[in-house]
Amino acid sequence: MDKIDHYAVYGNPVKHSKSPQIHAAFAEQTGQQLHYRAHKVELGRFAEVATQFFEHGGKGLNITVPFKLDAFEFADQLSGRARRAGAVNTLAIQEDGTIYGDNTDGVGLVRDIHDNLGWDMQDRRILVLGAGGAVRGILGPLLKQGPSHVLIANRTEEKAQKLAQQFEKLGKIAGGSYAGLASAQFDLIINGTSASMSGDLPPLPSHILSNDGCAYDMMYGAAPTPFMRWAAGETAWAVSDGLGMLVEQAAESFCIWRGVRPDTKPVIELIRQSLSA
């Protein structure tokens, strides 16, 4: 019998995670032998628990809130996109025993928007809401798509401006406040805040979406989020939640670990059905 490799997702909270279901589907589809579980890590214990995992033969970890910075500091080597994001969501042990850290959030977002939804980002005016860890991970891959410009809007304008400065070498990007959006218009708005989790909506003015504008919420759920409902009311051409991003970033992690890329579309459909079950 083949040895079964062990993987996990670390977070706090983590009970709600769909990652075990997603990676089980990937493994079945690709004929890979692995075991994947969700593990709640107590605050302040990430390095200790992650060290034990790898010392006991663990092969790879996904990292979710609030440990992506801890994982960044834990990794021995970092990918370019992880270094730019300043955060890690994927850890993998290498043949020499060192730990490799990557960030697959941005490529997951881009693949979902471009490949699955078919939305064009080149030469488009993009507004990103929020300046937290979720947004840090997507800016590099987003700017590589060649938008005309990206604006980060945040309640604390200074935080948005500082974040934009870290990515200005990759493209035209700026940071500002929600109040500064009154006369602006965008072709794509990406909600990177956690407002949808509490049923809230960022303070957005009317008519901020262009006539063929799209709206994307990085959060997901069984029902449309408040942001998605707002965008539909603003006559958005198309709206989507972030379930596809979740599956796509997981597929990138799976490929880093196993060297094979799964087909994501049937897994997106599977998880979507489980949300409404």
Side-chain angles (χ1 to χ4, degrees):
M1 183 176 177
D2 292 338
K3 177 179 175 291
I4 296 180
D5 293 331
H6 288 264
Y7 299 87
V9 56
Y10 280 6
N12 187 342
V14 77
K15 186 178 180 181
H16 65 284
S17 177
K18 297 293 182 183
S19 293
Q21 188 178 359
I22 292 170
H23 284 280
F26 288 163
E28 182 178 6
Q29 180 193 115
T30 59
Q32 299 285 307
Q33 294 290 321
L34 61 85
H35 180 267
Y36 188 111
R37 67 188 180 102
H39 182 75
K40 180 181 177 181
V41 177
E42 297 304 321
L43 301 182
R45 293 192 61 207
F46 177 83
E48 173 192 350
V49 176
T51 297
Q52 290 175 356
F53 174 82
F54 287 113
E55 285 182 347
H56 286 83
K59 296 295 185 180
L61 291 171
N62 282 137
I63 314 299
T64 187
V65 175
F67 298 118
K68 292 184 181 183
L69 181 57
D70 297 84
F72 179 86
E73 295 171 347
F74 181 81
D76 298 310
Q77 299 175 42
L78 294 166
S79 69
R81 56 194 180 191
R83 196 173 292 109
R84 281 190 296 270
V88 160
N89 78 333
T90 303
L91 292 171
I93 193 164
Q94 301 180 101
E95 288 187 5
D96 63 0
T98 59
I99 306 299
Y100 172 76
D102 204 345
N103 190 308
T104 67
D105 286 332
V107 71
L109 173 91
V110 166
R111 284 202 181 118
D112 190 38
I113 290 178
H114 185 272
D115 299 349
N116 298 335
L117 299 173
W119 301 355
D120 189 14
M121 288 172 278
Q122 188 171 359
D123 298 324
R124 306 290 274 175
R125 300 164 294 177
I126 299 179
L127 172 63
V128 179
L129 307 177
V135 169
R136 292 186 68 92
I138 69 168
L139 291 175
L142 197 61
L143 286 164
K144 285 188 175 182
Q145 296 300 299
S148 65
H149 68 270
V150 172
L151 177 66
I152 306 167
N154 192 56
R155 292 184 187 276
T156 306
E157 184 175 8
E158 183 182 7
K159 188 175 181 181
Q161 291 173 341
K162 284 184 176 180
L163 183 57
Q165 289 170 3
Q166 295 174 27
F167 288 87
E168 59 188 8
K169 291 182 180 179
L170 299 182
K172 190 175 180 183
I173 185 170
S177 66
Y178 288 115
L181 298 174
S183 60
Q185 198 167 61
F186 297 90
D187 306 305
L188 170 61
I189 301 178
I190 299 172
N191 182 22
T193 74
S194 59
S196 293
M197 294 179 69
S198 54
D200 296 326
L201 181 70
L204 297 171
S206 299
H207 312 299
I208 193 171
L209 266 173
S210 62
N211 290 335
D212 61 345
C214 304
Y216 189 95
D217 197 334
M218 289 168 62
M219 299 295 166
Y220 67 92
T225 67
F227 173 76
M228 292 169 66
R229 293 196 297 270
W230 168 84
E234 289 290 310
T235 64
W237 172 72
V239 297
S240 178
D241 68 6
L243 179 60
M245 173 185 172
L246 174 71
V247 176
E248 292 293 345
Q249 64 82 23
E252 182 76 0
S253 295
F254 191 89
C255 190
I256 290 167
W257 294 331
R258 311 299 295 184
V260 59
R261 182 170 299 284
D263 182 4
T264 54
K265 290 186 178 180
V267 181
I268 293 172
E269 292 174 7
L270 174 70
I271 303 302
R272 180 73 68 191
Q273 290 170 5
S274 75
L275 289 176
S276 56

